[in-house]
Amino acid sequence: MAYDFEEQEQLESLKAWWARYGNLIMGVIIVILLGFASWNGWKWYQQKQAAGAAAYYEALENAVEQKDLPKVGDAAGALLGEYGGTDYAPRGALLAAYAYLSEGDRQSARAQLEWVIGKSKDPTLIPVARLRLAAVLLDDEAFDEALRVLDAGAPTAFEGLFADRRGDALAGKGDRSAAAQAYREALAKLSGEPSLQSTVQLKLDALGAE
């Protein structure tokens, strides 16, 4: 096909432009396509992980309901080992800890709670695990260890509960003055929870503190 002079100039100009920018444009297109493929691949992986985690979590729930600790251990182990990065994992660990405590296996319960504290990506579950672990340690009369667990700090919504449990640990150590101070802090922080306040007040009264 023959081109007139003007068309020939436009064609040569286009060729020159492509020679200068073509590789860059193709590179950008490839990066975009690779990014799109990677995003879809990541979404697929996340969906697969969530599905697998959900299946183990359901198995864990069934094992807890049946009070079958070997199955609790199998399901929790698989959930934390293979799907530890999912939202199901820390919830599963808390559920497993509850099952172990219900059956008197305190060591296994501690391991589950410590996993939540050390590995959970959900900041709302970590203080729950700290409170439960502190309760286990208090029952074991490991008062100093319980205080270390509680002294890590608490979100505002948990400050009253942490102060109450800290009072329990201090009272267990025989430090009545510090325990009373912790209970008073708990009373102030639990101002919107009259039933909890009543319990804390009973502890404070039992110390004989003014």
Side-chain angles (χ1 to χ4, degrees):
M1 179 178 178
Y3 295 98
D4 60 26
F5 180 75
E6 184 178 352
E7 290 174 333
Q8 187 67 32
E9 275 194 333
Q10 291 176 346
L11 183 59
E12 291 300 326
S13 177
L14 179 59
K15 287 180 179 179
W17 182 86
W18 183 255
R20 184 174 182 181
Y21 298 108
N23 288 340
L24 175 61
I25 292 172
M26 289 302 297
V28 171
I29 291 173
I30 289 171
V31 168
I32 292 172
L33 291 176
L34 287 175
F36 182 73
S38 297
W39 172 247
N40 281 339
W42 176 247
K43 285 178 63 178
W44 174 84
Y45 173 77
Q46 290 288 85
Q47 290 170 354
K48 183 180 179 182
Q49 286 288 99
Y56 277 116
Y57 187 84
E58 183 177 357
L60 176 59
E61 285 184 314
N62 292 335
V64 171
E65 185 176 349
Q66 296 166 10
K67 299 183 179 180
D68 189 332
L69 290 190
K71 288 184 178 180
V72 168
D74 290 342
L79 181 59
L80 303 188
E82 298 178 32
Y83 304 99
T86 66
D87 292 339
Y88 287 98
R91 288 169 172 75
L94 289 175
L95 182 58
Y98 164 79
Y100 285 128
L101 284 174
S102 297
E103 298 301 313
D105 187 348
R106 307 170 68 77
Q107 185 174 357
S108 295
R110 283 184 60 171
Q112 296 294 317
L113 296 169
E114 287 167 354
W115 188 95
V116 177
I117 293 168
K119 300 291 184 64
S120 176
K121 297 177 182 179
D122 188 338
T124 64
L125 298 182
I126 293 174
V128 174
R130 287 192 181 279
L131 283 170
R132 294 184 184 178
L133 179 57
V136 174
L137 294 169
L138 288 173
D139 287 343
D140 290 339
E141 298 187 354
F143 303 120
D144 287 328
E145 194 173 351
L147 286 171
R148 284 195 292 272
V149 169
L150 295 168
D151 286 344
T156 302
F158 287 85
E159 287 178 347
L161 295 174
F162 269 61
D164 172 45
R165 198 138 295 173
R166 192 161 53 249
D168 294 342
L170 291 166
K173 289 184 63 176
D175 192 341
R176 297 165 64 87
S177 176
Q181 183 178 349
Y183 287 141
R184 292 190 189 100
E185 179 185 347
L187 286 173
K189 298 290 185 180
L190 295 170
S191 58
E193 301 288 344
S195 60
L196 293 175
Q197 280 187 312
S198 296
T199 301
V200 175
Q201 186 63 56
L202 286 173
K203 296 177 185 178
L204 185 59
D205 293 343
L207 288 176
E210 295 181 0

